[in-house]
Amino acid sequence: CDWEREAFTLDEDLSNAVVEVFNRLYEKGYIYRGDRIINWCPDCKTSISDAECDHVDTKSKLWSFKYPIKGEDDKFITISTTRPETIPGDLAVAVNPEDERYKDYVG
């Protein structure tokens, strides 16, 4: 190991370098930004492209949960998921800032 060059991956200098390289690759047309779902490989422990995935539609249950809104008794935001086992790890709920139903909860 080269402990003299130890760094945290989210250090500002490293983060700036990553952004710079991604911008260069994008400008050269080597990478693109698209509306895609990111696939995660639990065996490789990395993201993989759609070309590397064999998609299989499976029937599953859609679970809905009511999250209480902090500081507002009897008010909830309902979320739905096919992966209820991830619920205990949730720290926040993201809402569409353009959706009028949630305008009071943006930020």
Side-chain angles (χ1 to χ4, degrees):
C1 289
D2 185 359
W3 293 111
E4 292 179 19
R5 293 174 20 130
E6 181 181 14
F8 178 57
T9 55
L10 295 178
D11 283 344
E12 188 174 352
D13 288 344
L14 292 178
S15 293
N16 290 340
V18 169
V19 170
E20 182 178 330
V21 170
F22 267 87
N23 283 336
R24 286 183 190 171
L25 294 172
Y26 179 80
E27 289 166 0
K28 291 180 179 183
Y30 295 151
I31 61 173
Y32 67 94
R33 182 177 183 168
D35 295 325
R36 302 268 191 255
I37 293 175
I38 296 174
N39 303 293
W40 179 258
C41 177
D43 293 326
C44 301
K45 297 193 178 17
T46 187
S47 58
I48 55 177
S49 76
D50 281 346
E52 298 172 289
C53 293
D54 295 323
H55 293 280
V56 178
D57 288 336
T58 56
K59 279 201 171 270
S60 63
K61 181 175 172 131
L62 185 64
W63 302 81
S64 293
F65 296 89
K66 290 181 0 180
Y67 277 100
I69 297 173
K70 185 177 181 179
E72 296 190 33
D73 295 339
D74 301 325
K75 281 204 169 185
F76 301 88
I77 289 181
T78 301
I79 61 105
S80 296
T81 182
T82 58
R83 302 280 310 274
E85 65 273 16
T86 66
I87 295 292
D90 288 350
L91 298 176
V93 174
V95 297
N96 181 343
E98 304 297 319
D99 191 322
E100 285 293 316
R101 297 174 296 172
Y102 307 117
K103 67 180 179 192
D104 295 336
Y105 306 113
V106 174

